[in-house]
Amino acid sequence: MLVLGWEYPPAVAGGLGAACHGLTTALADRGHAIQLAVPAGDGAQPPLPHPGVTRVLLGGEAAADGTPGVAGLAPYTRDAVARLEGRDFDAGHAHDWMTFPAAMRLRLLHRRPVCLHVHSTAFDRGGAARSDGTVSSVERAGVRTADRIAAVSDYTRSVLVREYGAEPSRVRVVHNAATIGPEQAAPSCRDPERPTVLFVGRLTRQKGVGFLLRAASRVLERRPEVRFVLVGDGEERASLVELAASLGIARRVFFAGSVDDAARARAYREADVFVLSSISAPFGLTPLEALQNGAATILSDACGVREVLPSAPVVAPWDAAGLADEILRLLGDAALREGLVARGRSELGALTWDRSAEALEAVLRESIDASSAVMPPAAMPSAGPGAIR
């Protein structure tokens, strides 16, 4: 199998890298031979090794803030075609829009089926205002051409069908999972005298952090001892700092910036409540991480992860008053928080990367079967060790 990715540990800027790693290694563990093509980066460490995964480094880099850059598409696509021209594969698996042009060129060059995996869209990141630009054009061309599309949630599937004209019969849902690392087994370090509400993610419009700060202002009117910790960085950091100051809550809001895995895990263990405030989140791995570390979670109702965490409280985006009420309710009832964490962890038990990889295998088999109807028999791969048959 050929896997085209943009992020992969140790070079990870967000959930995309974690999902690419989780699915790729799970597929390898299930017996598939993986050729993993990812950007080499500028001075970055090579992708982490894993049995069954052969690493191929390509050109193309993320922007300064860690997000994918359009300028990096050309070298990534050029290098992918050049470096992979002589390598055969049974099926291609391409993660998000940055890899789609390379995937579709390799599809034509090798006459092999390709499944595009959609983790996020331009519509999610910027709404209708950004759904007619370059990135959206790449996404639209990809989802209309690929043999099959894997969406990270039913929420994302509906976006692809409604906003991008994807054919419903070619879109399948493959939910993400979460990886439990050794640092996540450490005990809680919550302070009952200093209740903490946590956000983890990029500081961008999509994440709805302004909505969270307005809710924080309402919470602090009644519970001035609460602190709000924002872990992550992004293009809206300066404006959010200004917003916190204008709301008079700057002394109770802590902008932690980007942190390493251990520091992020500690932030989870210090938090009483975790908030996913996104105005559009295709999935959302951070609530899974929060639950693993014992923090009760509140979800925006515009997110895919609520499909796998039905016990979590849900608030509509931009409803600052509703979010404030939910935060106060959870902070005021330790038994309620503990119950929500227990139920959430039980729901997490059904989410494993192996199960996600099994679902993805079915999508890849569909892509092979679909392409066999239009490709000459001589162009189709013969089944061999690790082939998806």
Side-chain angles (χ1 to χ4, degrees):
M1 187 187 307
L2 172 64
V3 175
L4 295 169
W6 190 266
E7 293 181 20
Y8 197 87
V12 173
L16 173 59
C20 183
H21 178 261
L23 285 167
T24 300
T25 54
L27 287 168
D29 290 342
R30 293 177 67 83
H32 303 292
I34 308 294
Q35 300 176 69
L36 170 68
V38 292
D42 188 6
Q45 293 179 310
L48 294 177
H50 190 85
V53 179
T54 300
R55 298 167 294 172
V56 181
L57 300 183
L58 308 175
E61 298 179 27
D65 63 356
T67 60
V70 174
L73 284 183
Y76 181 99
T77 303
R78 181 182 63 246
D79 285 6
V81 173
R83 296 288 304 280
L84 300 169
E85 183 175 7
R87 298 172 181 248
D88 200 8
F89 53 93
D90 294 290
H93 180 218
H95 288 271
D96 244 8
W97 69 270
M98 303 79 70
T99 70
F100 288 1
M104 303 321 295
R105 290 194 188 185
L106 289 166
R107 177 179 182 269
L108 294 175
L109 179 65
H110 288 271
R111 300 186 67 78
R112 297 293 185 260
V114 166
C115 168
L116 302 186
H117 205 126
V118 180
H119 299 265
S120 180
T121 68
F123 181 84
D124 296 307
R125 293 184 290 273
R130 292 191 182 180
S131 62
D132 59 355
T134 302
V135 173
S136 179
S137 297
V138 172
E139 293 170 337
R140 187 171 285 106
V143 300
R144 291 184 177 182
T145 307
D147 300 279
R148 285 295 183 271
I149 302 102
V152 294
S153 62
D154 283 309
Y155 178 87
T156 295
R157 183 180 185 274
S158 68
V159 170
L160 293 175
V161 172
R162 183 183 70 247
E163 303 294 335
Y164 290 83
E167 185 180 332
S169 63
R170 292 190 302 114
V171 186
R172 300 289 182 265
V173 174
V174 178
H175 286 126
N176 285 331
T179 302
I180 301 177
E183 72 279 357
Q184 294 169 316
S188 166
C189 46
R190 293 175 180 85
D191 182 351
E193 301 300 320
R194 190 180 61 170
T196 298
V197 177
L198 176 67
F199 165 89
V200 176
R202 295 190 305 277
L203 302 184
T204 64
R205 176 187 179 276
Q206 178 188 1
K207 301 300 183 179
V209 186
F211 148 51
L212 173 57
L213 290 180
R214 289 179 173 84
S217 177
R218 293 172 177 265
V219 170
L220 290 167
E221 289 176 0
R222 296 171 58 183
R223 295 285 300 271
E225 77 280 14
V226 175
R227 66 172 189 153
F228 288 79
V229 177
L230 311 182
V231 173
D233 213 338
E235 62 197 44
E236 291 207 340
R237 177 176 178 134
S239 61
L240 291 170
V241 170
E242 292 176 0
L243 176 59
S246 69
L247 291 170
I249 60 174
R251 296 186 65 181
R252 303 306 302 165
V253 178
F254 301 86
F255 290 84
S258 298
V259 301
D260 60 23
D261 291 347
R264 186 173 65 252
R266 180 176 177 83
Y268 283 129
R269 295 195 301 272
E270 291 179 346
D272 298 277
V273 174
F274 174 84
V275 176
L276 180 74
S277 53
S278 298
I279 61 174
S280 184
F283 190 76
L285 287 173
T286 50
L288 308 186
E289 296 171 350
L291 283 169
Q292 287 172 342
N293 286 282
T297 65
I298 299 173
L299 305 178
S300 157
D301 71 358
C303 70
V305 73
R306 62 179 298 201
E307 297 163 19
V308 298
L309 294 178
S311 67
V314 172
V315 177
W318 309 121
D319 182 7
L323 177 57
D325 288 344
E326 196 62 55
I327 292 172
L328 287 165
R329 184 172 77 95
L330 295 189
L331 290 179
D333 191 335
L336 174 61
R337 294 197 305 273
E338 292 171 3
L340 287 173
V341 170
R343 289 195 292 275
R345 283 177 164 173
S346 176
E347 291 158 0
L348 286 180
L351 301 176
T352 66
W353 286 118
D354 180 72
R355 182 169 292 189
S356 297
E358 183 180 16
L360 180 59
E361 282 178 343
V363 183
L364 291 164
R365 290 190 188 99
E366 281 191 38
S367 70
I368 290 174
D369 292 342
S371 65
S372 66
V374 295
M375 290 184 184
M380 291 304 297
S382 59
I388 303 175
R389 292 301 190 194

